[in-house]
């Protein structure tokens, strides 16, 4: 019972991405990052790391890491470069991410992990964020997500929405734009925003995946939405003795 909202409707319309590039051209490059998203690689994919603030992308790096033993040192260096609190660093649990996070925590970097297949948050993080920064809502819109992947990509969609102040994506990150541009806007039978799976679940499956649509693994896009999720979903301080 899945359906398109419209045959040519994209999750990130080209006009929205053009606006994001225009916004980036007017911002200083030495802004302080507030959150980092890390999509660690395994196999032939890229390890991608994205640092952002409320206004947009500060830096995005992506490269092959066939020697996965260097990934932790690369993450540490990126965190130190941008002086971001480890609690604001989100790491995908796939691709060995859980093990990388465990190693980082042992070294004193209390990073957080998130799985794209997890259940979506019970509240709309974007509305919570807007209230926090005192942005006046100009319209009321309901957002529901099939899973965490849809939620994280949906949060980026809301940031890029032209009804909002905007989110900057520098034009130099052409590969990121190439990955974002062809993703269709899809809803399931219950009206929840959904995304195609990243890879085929079974050999011979005819299900269209993100890799089919983009032509590769969406490493840069995943690192960006992880960073957005980390920015909007602040870590909750633990209280000793609390139940």
């Amino acid at each position: 019972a899945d359906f398109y909202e419209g045959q040519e409707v994209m999750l990130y319309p080209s006009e929205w991405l053009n606006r994001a590039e225009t916004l980036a051209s007017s911002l200083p490059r030495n802004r302080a990052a507030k959150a980092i998203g890390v999509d660690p690689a395994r196999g032939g994919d890229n390890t991608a790391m994205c640092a952002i603030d409320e206004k947009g992308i500060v830096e995005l790096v992506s490269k092959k890491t066939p020697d996965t033993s260097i990934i932790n040192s690369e993450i540490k260096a990126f965190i130190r470069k941008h002086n971001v609190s480890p609690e604001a660093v989100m790491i995908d649990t796939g691709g060995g991410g859980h093990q990388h996070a465990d190693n980082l925590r042992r070294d004193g970097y209390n990073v957080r992990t998130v799985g794209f297949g997890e259940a979506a948050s019970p509240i709309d993080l974007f509305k919570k964020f807007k209230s926090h920064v005192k942005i006046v809502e100009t319209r009321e819109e309901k957002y529901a997500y099939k899973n965490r992947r849809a939620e994280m990509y949906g949060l980026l969609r809301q940031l890029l929405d032209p009804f909002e102040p905007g989110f900057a994506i520098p034009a130099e990150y052409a590969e990121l734009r190439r990955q974002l541009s062809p993703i269709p806007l899809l809803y399931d039978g219950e009206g929840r925003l959904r995304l195609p799976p990243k890879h085929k679940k079974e050999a011979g499956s005819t299900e269209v995946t993100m890799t089919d649509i983009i032509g590769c693994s969406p490493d840069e896009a995943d690192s960006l939405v992880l960073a957005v999720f980390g920015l909007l979903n602040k870590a909750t301080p633990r209280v000793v003795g609390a139940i």
Side-chain angles (χ1 to χ4, degrees):
D2 295 337
F3 59 91
Y4 287 88
E5 183 177 274
Q7 188 173 5
E8 299 298 327
V9 177
M10 297 292 105
L11 185 63
Y12 309 111
S14 59
E15 295 82 2
W16 296 17
L17 295 175
N18 289 342
R19 176 175 181 253
E21 290 186 2
T22 300
L23 288 171
S25 66
S26 64
L27 292 176
R29 299 303 302 271
N30 59 345
R31 308 190 316 275
K34 302 293 181 61
I36 289 173
V38 180
D39 183 36
R42 185 166 55 192
D45 297 340
N46 283 7
T47 289
M49 298 181 290
C50 186
I52 67 171
D53 63 4
E54 295 91 344
K55 296 180 181 297
I57 294 177
V58 175
E59 184 182 22
L60 171 63
V61 297
S62 178
K63 68 178 184 179
K64 299 289 184 186
T65 50
D67 178 4
T68 58
S69 67
I70 71 168
I71 292 178
N72 274 24
S73 61
E74 295 278 343
I75 296 173
K76 291 177 186 177
F78 198 70
I79 292 173
R80 291 193 298 268
K81 177 180 180 180
H82 291 285
N83 196 28
V84 169
S85 167
E87 286 78 12
V89 177
M90 303 296 296
I91 300 179
D92 174 26
T93 55
H98 198 284
Q99 291 79 7
H100 291 307
D102 285 344
N103 290 333
L104 286 164
R105 290 169 186 145
R106 279 195 290 269
D107 292 340
Y109 291 79
N110 192 29
V111 298
R112 292 188 287 160
T113 58
V114 60
F116 282 101
E118 297 174 0
S121 301
I123 60 173
D124 190 323
L125 292 178
F126 186 70
K127 288 184 178 179
K128 179 180 177 182
F129 172 73
K130 290 176 70 174
S131 173
H132 175 68
V133 297
K134 300 181 180 180
I135 297 175
V136 179
E137 282 197 56
T138 57
R139 60 178 177 165
E140 190 70 24
E141 192 166 344
K142 180 181 179 181
Y143 286 90
Y145 308 102
K146 184 174 181 179
N147 56 20
R148 185 77 80 195
R149 176 177 288 278
E151 177 184 7
M152 290 196 284
Y153 275 81
L155 290 172
L156 176 60
R157 173 178 166 83
Q158 292 185 67
L159 287 177
L160 291 171
D161 191 316
F163 280 86
E164 305 300 335
F167 188 82
I169 300 178
E172 67 191 80
Y173 301 126
E175 173 58 21
L176 171 63
R177 175 163 182 161
R178 191 194 69 78
Q179 293 179 14
L180 295 174
S181 296
I183 302 174
L185 180 62
L186 300 172
Y187 297 93
D188 68 8
E190 299 178 20
R192 299 175 299 178
L193 182 70
R194 75 172 186 89
L195 263 75
K198 186 173 182 178
H199 302 295
K200 295 186 185 300
K201 298 176 182 178
E202 298 178 359
S205 171
T206 59
E207 184 177 23
V208 177
T209 67
M210 291 280 281
T211 303
D212 293 328
I213 294 169
I214 296 170
C216 66
S217 177
D219 305 317
E220 286 83 352
D222 281 355
S223 70
L224 170 56
V225 299
L226 283 162
V228 168
F229 187 73
L231 178 71
L232 304 187
N233 183 24
K234 304 294 184 183
T236 302
R238 294 183 179 181
V239 179
V240 176
I243 298 176

